[in-house]
Amino acid sequence: MNTPVTTSLAQTPLPVSAAKPLLQARAARRLPQERRWSTPVIVLAQCALLIGGVLAWELSARQGWIDSFFWSQPSKIQEVLMVFFTQGDAWIDISFTFRATLAGFIIGTTLGTLIGLSFWWSGNYAAIVQPFIVCFESIPKLALAPLIILVFGIGLPSKIAIGVALTVVVSALTTFAGVKSVDRDLERLMYALGASRWQVFCKLVVPSVLPWGISVLRVNIGLALTGSIVGEFISSQHGLGRAILYAGQTYEIALVWVAVLVLSTLSILMYVAVAHIERVLMKHVKR
Amino acid sequence: MSTAKIELRGVTHDFVTGEGQLFRALDNVGFSVSPGRFISLIGPSGCGKSTIFNAIAGLQTPSAGSIIIDGREVTGMIGLVGYMLQKDLLFPWRTVLDNVVLGMEIRGVKVREAREYARPFLARYGLGGFEDQYPAALSGGMRQRAALLRTLLFDSEIILLDEPFGALDAQTRARMQEWLLQIWSDFGKTVIFVTHDVEEAVYLSDEIYVMAARPGRIRARLDVPLARPRPRHITLEPAFARMKERCLALLDEEALTRGDAPPLGAQAPSAEPALAIEPPPPSAQRLSTPGLAA
Ligand SMILES: Nc1ncnc2c1ncn2[C@@H]1O[C@H](COP(=O)(O)OP(=O)(O)O)[C@@H](O)[C@H]1O
Ligand SMILES: [Mg+2]
């Protein structure tokens, strides 16, 4: 049985005579490796870059290389910054924007998470509502901002409402994705042990969806801030957004820069705080 | 009337397949188990073992037939049996202790009381010191122990184990088998065990049901004539080997005749008197254990 196979193999010798393709001589090399600098060196480089940039800006404005009317200059900005905080509305504006953002963030995230979780209770309800949610997601919500201002007035509530509109969908859709990924076998196990739907919801669905809900916190704080700034742009009596718009309209370019600087600082602080909360929560939730 | 702990009568189940056709996964499956017995179901993959368990656990109501526990018809009822799968299904965000008390928690026991109750069991059954660890920190064998303890402390008298040791390495598996027998004799529960491994079935069980596929049905019932307690070296004895061979022969025959209806009862040349090979009787009523049939 084996014999014919062997012979047929033997009858087709390897094409040893075929010309060997030309290879370049083998050059031994080391694995390419970048030598990483230590953290202090990196930080030092970053500071140098920043200071260099600011100095270059100042110098160009003084030398007239750039038009300081439009671009302003660091020394002027620093002056206006002091004035903004000592004589201006700095704290009122910061507090207004901060409160609007925080409220929009909390309400939108909570509401969105609850909506997402609610889809677990009924597949029919989820199937009916889902297309509407997706439609709402695809609308540029900021386009609705003027309408929201009309409905909620020019005060704080309208800024919160825009923030909620931006964050609620993100939370709802992410949480719903989490709901769909709940381990079916764990669900079956709980039912086999005689669990009620409420028990499965509390002991399984909520804990497994929590990481999904938490993972959008950082995105949502940014969205809520965008919402309140846009609201302030459209119509407002306070807020950093209004300060930027007002300064721009009156050609106080230095004040624009100041407000943007303060806004960025606020944004970074809130982002860092939320990122920290997210990390702490994740540690408790996920193993 | 019946002293069986659990009894299946004419359980038949049809799945609707993707093309809308009916696929018969179980055909007239019937057996009964007396209290405190350890029985195994063996059979080729896809013969409906898990479907039987889902029916008993109430997760899938069979198309026909009934499930009777303690003389009460409980078809389609959940929460009456402990169920454990090959996947340990521990909650990753719960500590081992909190995983073990899940069943009690569902039954409405206060978490604190449940923990106090469970703690000694963890210590006694090889999970001492791991109470406050998370499942991710445990080995596969340890996780299966925790899952099994959860099933046992659920306080049901019937335990279904669906290939619980299938994913473990041979050595761990052997240790888990001895551990299971220990626990079974301590708790005195009625166990229905599913496995691929014939040796495992023979080593653990009082009775073995050999199943056939397409449609899933019970082909033979074998009594395991080995005394308890069973030391590990019992697996080397001739009686053990004969029992194993008998099971393998039945499974082989099944594999060869797959597809056509096997002539039931035609193949039972009971060479070994201790092995009571029976064709599945037409009615489940007659399928009580030999001692009780009289
Ligand atoms: N939900 C389902 N829909 C359709 N067919 C199924 C479903 N679940 C199981 N089956 C089929 O039923 C048969 C028995 O499955 P199962 O009980 O899981 O077998 P076993 O546990 O013995 O390997 C298999 O052929 C499987 O393909
Ligand atoms: Mg199975």
Side-chain angles (χ1 to χ4, degrees), chain B residues 45-46 48-51 162-163 194:
Chain B
S45 182
K49 304 179 295 287
S50 300
T51 309
D162 194 347
E163 301 188 37
V194 159

